[in-house]
Amino acid sequence: MKKALFNYFVELTGHPVSSSMLQFITRSRFSRKLIRPFAKTYRINQDEAEFPVAYYDSLQAYFTRNLKKGSRHIDERSNIIISPVDGFVSAAEKIGPNQSFKIKDHLYSIKDIFGDEKRAIPYKNGFFFIFYLSPSHYHHFHYPIDGELLSRYALGTTSFPVNDLGLRLGNKPFATNYRLISEMMTSFGRIAVVKVGALNVNSIHINDSSKECKKGEDFGYFSFGSTVILFMERNDSFTPLISANTEVKLGQAVGEWSV
């Protein structure tokens, strides 16, 4: 019952009125009493948080917490792409010959994700990873590799759940939810970091607009439940190092290019 209640708080509604109300409640000082039971329910490692539980003045402040420095090891090898988040890998595969992929019985085209055929072309026959962040995870996202920011743009308006139930019953949330796309040019081709919101509020926050992308650097966070999709330009020297249904940590190697 307690877990179901917390799930409702952080990811299970897309209605604008309930979402706005939820945002107000979780940011209020009254939600501070929910922090300890929230951390206990989701078995959050409190030793990794930047500050003790008593420091945070709302559930939202705790949910968007920073980690202590050194809590995650970043694989610095230049030919390695790392996980940009703590999360659960729900897909890791090549983009199909018809430029589509299937998730929870929904067929997605890369054109749907990027909102435009021209923007999708660089990822034709490429590779993608989907990382789902549950309420138990650290909710910041980091650059997966060194590169230069080419563009950043938003698509979609309404956002619905991106958990298992939402993916099965929702209206193709990866292609319709509010999402913020950051495209990078790297030594191994283009890479797109697609941040997908999960509530009908702006739940995606960017730290800065620097053009330089440094592997492992924190460049934003989600204020509610979320998903990150990595799209990679086709490169025949690329090999994934993880598979679907895998738990990963920020900084962990998820793929490599032969050099």
Side-chain angles (χ1 to χ4, degrees):
M1 179 64 181
K2 186 187 295 183
K3 190 167 185 176
L5 178 62
F6 281 131
N7 276 335
Y8 179 81
F9 270 156
V10 297
E11 64 176 350
L12 293 182
T13 179
H15 191 278
V17 175
S18 57
S19 294
S20 296
M21 186 180 299
L22 187 57
Q23 189 176 37
F24 173 78
I25 293 172
T26 57
R27 287 179 175 175
S28 73
R29 62 186 179 86
F30 300 106
S31 68
R32 190 176 187 181
K33 294 181 180 180
L34 297 172
I35 297 176
R36 289 186 186 277
F38 176 85
K40 183 177 180 181
T41 298
Y42 287 107
R43 300 179 181 179
I44 294 171
N45 183 350
Q46 298 180 48
D47 293 333
E48 292 181 343
E50 184 179 21
F51 300 109
V53 167
Y55 170 86
Y56 301 95
D57 58 8
S58 70
L59 181 60
Q60 184 69 178
Y62 183 72
F63 189 79
T64 58
R65 66 195 177 279
N66 289 308
L67 295 178
K68 287 179 182 176
K69 288 185 178 180
S71 295
R72 297 290 180 271
H73 169 71
I74 305 299
D75 192 317
E76 298 287 359
R77 289 175 290 173
S78 62
N79 66 320
I80 293 292
I81 187 167
I82 63 169
S83 173
V85 294
D86 284 3
F88 181 79
V89 181
S90 54
E93 57 192 80
K94 290 182 179 179
I95 297 169
N98 59 351
Q99 310 319 310
S100 63
F101 55 93
K102 199 170 188 179
I103 300 293
K104 301 297 181 184
D105 297 324
H106 287 295
L107 190 66
Y108 291 87
S109 73
I110 55 176
K111 178 184 175 182
D112 292 338
I113 303 293
F114 289 94
D116 179 81
E117 182 72 38
K118 187 176 179 180
R119 290 186 184 275
I121 285 175
Y123 307 99
K124 183 178 180 180
N125 298 317
F127 198 92
F128 73 97
F129 294 97
I130 298 179
F131 303 91
Y132 167 66
L133 285 69
S134 76
S136 65
H137 290 119
Y138 164 63
H139 269 68
H140 289 234
F141 41 83
H142 298 237
Y143 286 119
I145 194 169
D146 291 337
E148 179 184 1
L149 186 68
L150 295 176
S151 66
R152 179 171 287 144
Y153 59 98
L155 293 172
T157 52
T158 302
S159 290
F160 290 94
V162 291
N163 61 357
D164 186 73
L165 185 64
L167 292 180
R168 284 191 286 108
L169 302 182
N171 183 26
K172 300 175 70 172
F174 291 155
T176 57
N177 275 21
Y178 175 78
R179 55 204 184 279
L180 193 59
I181 300 171
S182 301
E183 286 196 277
M184 306 165 52
M185 179 56 73
T186 77
S187 298
F188 304 98
R190 285 183 182 240
I191 290 176
V193 186
V194 181
K195 287 80 65 183
V196 184
L199 276 177
N200 198 15
V201 292
N202 182 9
S203 61
I204 307 170
H205 307 270
I206 298 295
N207 291 338
D208 62 62
S209 56
S210 172
K211 292 288 186 181
E212 181 184 6
C213 306
K214 181 174 174 54
K215 181 192 283 189
E217 181 180 15
D218 179 358
F219 72 102
Y221 65 93
F222 295 101
S223 56
F224 289 97
S226 47
T227 290
V228 170
I229 311 176
L230 283 186
F231 285 97
M232 300 155 57
E233 187 173 353
R234 179 179 176 177
N235 186 318
D236 292 336
S237 72
F238 178 75
T239 303
L241 300 176
I242 58 168
S243 57
N245 303 315
T246 304
E247 189 87 18
V248 293
K249 294 288 189 183
L250 162 67
Q252 179 180 335
V254 295
E256 65 178 350
W257 291 271
S258 58
V259 293

